Amino acid sequence: MKTQTNHPQTFRAVPVHSKPLDSLRLENLLQQQLDLYKSRLLSSGLEYQLAVQNIPLGAHSTFQSFEPFPISVVSAKGAWVTDVDGRKMLDLSMGFGSMLAGHLNPEVVAELRSALDVGTLYTAPSPLSRDAAERLCRRFGIEQLRFTNSGTESTMYAVRTARAYTGKEGVVKVEGGYHGSGDAVLFSTKPSIENAGDAESPNVVVGNAAVPGEAYVVPFNNIQALEKVFSEHANTIACFIVEPVLENIGIVLPDEGYLEAVRALCDKYKIVLIFDEVKTGLTAGPQGASQRLGVIPDLIALAKSIGGGIPLAAFGGKAEFMKPVTDGRMPHLGTFNGHALAMAAVRAVDKICTKEALDNAESLNIQALNRISEIITEYELPAHTVGFGVKGCITWSPTPVRNYRDYKATNFLVAETSFLWSLNHQIMTPPGLDEQWLISLAHGQAEVDFMVNDFKELAKNLRG
């Protein structure tokens, strides 16, 4: 395996040799898997037909719906879910990190039951919410935070806080990055190349019905492009919001030195640096991505992994940059902020997500990445593996993906085939063709063996 210049706290293994896949064989395999999906998942198909009568696309998040119809789940326990067709499936999606503790983790369930004895919603300050805030500030190395209920709320309020702090409105983000569905960041998420313009200086491509305001977009891992935007527009730019490791387009790692250079530029041009750790958070390690990677932002957005499966999010950072919340320049509101069930989940997650527990999950992830890399090498597949913390993915490209344009050049036909193959073989991965998995605290050696052995069968079928 050839070592790349990705950040040393991240994982990437690119094979030395690869051969193209036979396109006709790939198309036939895709059709075979599609036919198998429709024939095996009759109850999910029926459930979808019923759901679309009252629910647009048959799901309560557009991302959860895909062709020909999504799998409908009835229960979950540990690392496994059961669908309406009665199939037990290995969950490698795990809510993008929301289920880091595992489904129905006993510690989480016990804390939630204790909350039911004292009330679920006070809409008032409480020792419970103060304790939870202390725990998260201590863990993530931040001075102040406010609770919200979703990642979208947290990124939205982080941007608003930066705008209030600086008195400026401009927002810079990375092409291909996703920061929730707030208007201020809903641009250039997965734009078509036809509309995206020059790779070094991308166009701002605004999503349907979004009104982002003053917006700028730059390629990831390109510090020169970022400085160009900063130097030309610093007098109107409030913040640069970025995932320290991109997890909307598979997993895209920062080059060694990139995040340090970003931090220096934000300091130089007096632009607030926001790390979106909604998807990284505890999946990156016991103190999150920023501390692991050694670059500290001014503000941070958290969600998913901190809540043990209960809707929970937060934004915070250095006390200096949270002043607009204190002095009223940026009112932060929310009836359910800091509700008792979420605070109970924080206590449970803080207890169980020890360094030892997360190190064990990460070691299983590294094992999976290495074993899958060996299969990629054995079958000379045009693919490579990428990982960070307890997350990993197979990227269908023989060369590293460092930005959105690299991602758009990957083989989506084989990605779709792999996605359907997994679903047909009792493995649930996220829709979106980004091949990302998560090893939770509930996954063990048997689950890793199951996923690796299944990938080997896919590799055999891809080559014939």
Side-chain angles (χ1 to χ4, degrees):
M1 298 293 175
K2 184 169 63 174
T3 302
Q4 305 296 329
T5 57
N6 47 292
H7 192 288
Q9 286 294 318
T10 64
F11 179 101
R12 182 194 285 139
V14 180
V16 176
H17 301 291
S18 67
K19 294 191 301 187
L21 294 169
D22 181 275
S23 58
L24 181 59
R25 180 176 188 82
L26 185 56
E27 289 173 5
N28 289 337
L29 184 58
L30 174 58
Q31 187 59 53
Q32 176 195 87
Q33 293 304 308
L34 183 58
D35 293 342
L36 189 60
Y37 185 89
K38 292 176 181 177
S39 66
R40 280 186 175 176
L41 300 171
L42 297 178
S43 295
S44 277
L46 177 59
E47 178 64 27
Y48 172 74
Q49 292 173 26
L50 294 171
V52 292
Q53 297 177 40
N54 300 110
I55 308 167
L57 298 178
H60 291 287
S61 171
T62 297
F63 191 72
Q64 293 174 14
S65 184
F66 54 86
E67 297 289 342
F69 52 81
I71 289 177
S72 183
V73 172
V74 295
S75 66
K77 181 80 185 267
W80 299 80
V81 300
T82 302
D83 67 15
V84 293
D85 288 279
R87 301 188 316 152
K88 190 178 179 184
M89 301 185 67
L90 176 62
D91 189 354
L92 292 179
S93 176
M94 302 302 287
F96 303 104
S98 301
M99 304 312 304
L100 174 62
H103 295 286
L104 297 180
N105 179 283
E107 290 277 358
V108 174
V109 170
E111 286 287 1
L112 294 178
R113 283 179 174 153
S114 72
L116 296 177
D117 292 329
V118 297
T120 59
L121 179 66
Y122 309 145
T123 320
S126 168
L128 299 177
S129 56
R130 186 257 306 152
D131 171 75
E134 288 175 352
R135 289 173 186 269
L136 292 181
C137 283
R138 183 166 56 246
R139 180 179 281 272
F140 289 99
I142 57 180
E143 295 175 336
Q144 292 186 335
L145 67 77
R146 275 284 187 96
F147 285 116
T148 67
N149 300 288
S150 71
T152 286
E153 287 184 46
S154 287
T155 56
M156 178 182 75
Y157 276 113
V159 168
R160 285 185 182 176
T161 302
R163 283 172 162 172
Y165 181 83
T166 61
K168 298 181 287 186
E169 294 186 4
V171 175
V172 185
K173 61 159 289 200
V174 162
E175 187 176 45
Y178 176 69
H179 305 291
S181 52
D183 277 29
V185 292
L186 200 57
F187 60 93
S188 297
T189 299
K190 282 188 178 178
S192 68
I193 296 300
E194 291 76 17
N195 296 327
D198 182 75
E200 297 295 311
S201 182
N203 295 332
V204 171
V205 181
V206 179
N208 292 336
V211 185
E214 184 182 343
Y216 305 92
V217 63
V218 295
F220 193 55
N221 280 323
N222 188 326
I223 201 66
Q224 293 78 19
L226 184 65
E227 179 151 33
K228 184 175 186 297
V229 169
F230 279 8
S231 65
E232 293 175 356
H233 305 284
N235 62 327
T236 60
I237 292 173
C239 62
F240 177 43
I241 183 168
V242 63
E243 288 183 285
V245 174
L246 301 192
E247 294 189 355
N248 179 51
I249 48 176
I251 299 176
V252 181
L253 307 176
D255 290 345
E256 188 170 11
Y258 171 71
L259 294 175
E260 292 83 351
V262 166
R263 176 70 275 181
L265 279 184
C266 287
D267 290 340
K268 176 180 176 181
Y269 289 97
K270 294 181 170 41
I271 289 169
V272 177
L273 176 59
I274 303 172
F275 273 1
D276 177 354
E277 287 217 45
V278 168
K279 283 189 175 180
T280 52
L282 294 176
T283 72
Q287 294 179 291
S290 62
Q291 291 193 80
R292 179 163 189 174
L293 299 174
V295 179
I296 306 303
D298 301 312
L299 294 170
I300 186 173
L302 298 163
K304 300 191 189 301
S305 60
I306 64 173
I310 298 298
L312 171 67
F315 71 99
K318 301 171 183 176
E320 170 67 20
F321 291 90
M322 292 293 283
K323 280 182 178 178
V325 182
T326 301
D327 63 27
R329 282 176 290 164
M330 203 293 294
H332 166 235
L333 311 168
T335 300
F336 288 92
N337 296 347
H339 66 87
L341 283 174
M343 302 304 95
V346 171
R347 292 196 301 275
V349 168
D350 193 45
K351 291 176 186 176
I352 63 179
C353 284
T354 63
K355 183 178 186 303
E356 293 73 22
L358 290 173
D359 282 351
N360 179 65
E362 183 169 343
S363 69
L364 288 170
N365 186 42
I366 296 298
Q367 180 198 139
L369 287 162
N370 281 318
R371 290 170 65 185
I372 289 171
S373 296
E374 290 170 2
I375 294 168
I376 288 172
T377 297
E378 178 183 355
Y379 288 89
E380 297 183 283
L381 298 177
H384 65 277
T385 53
V386 187
F388 182 50
V390 298
K391 288 188 176 182
C393 77
I394 299 157
T395 297
W396 293 102
S397 167
T399 55
V401 169
R402 298 178 53 253
N403 53 49
Y404 179 67
R405 303 303 173 97
D406 290 346
Y407 163 79
K408 288 292 284 184
T410 61
N411 191 325
F412 289 100
L413 183 61
V414 68
E416 184 176 4
T417 304
S418 175
F419 173 64
L420 285 172
W421 173 280
S422 294
L423 295 180
N424 285 333
H425 293 78
Q426 297 175 261
I427 294 178
M428 181 174 284
T429 60
L433 308 184
D434 300 328
E435 298 297 313
Q436 190 180 120
W437 69 72
L438 183 142
I439 303 298
S440 76
L441 302 188
H443 288 72
Q445 188 61 53
E447 285 76 17
V448 170
D449 291 344
F450 190 87
M451 66 180 287
V452 171
N453 292 338
D454 183 68
F455 181 75
K456 183 151 191 175
E457 289 303 309
L458 171 62
K460 290 176 182 177
N461 278 267
L462 288 171
R463 281 298 180 205

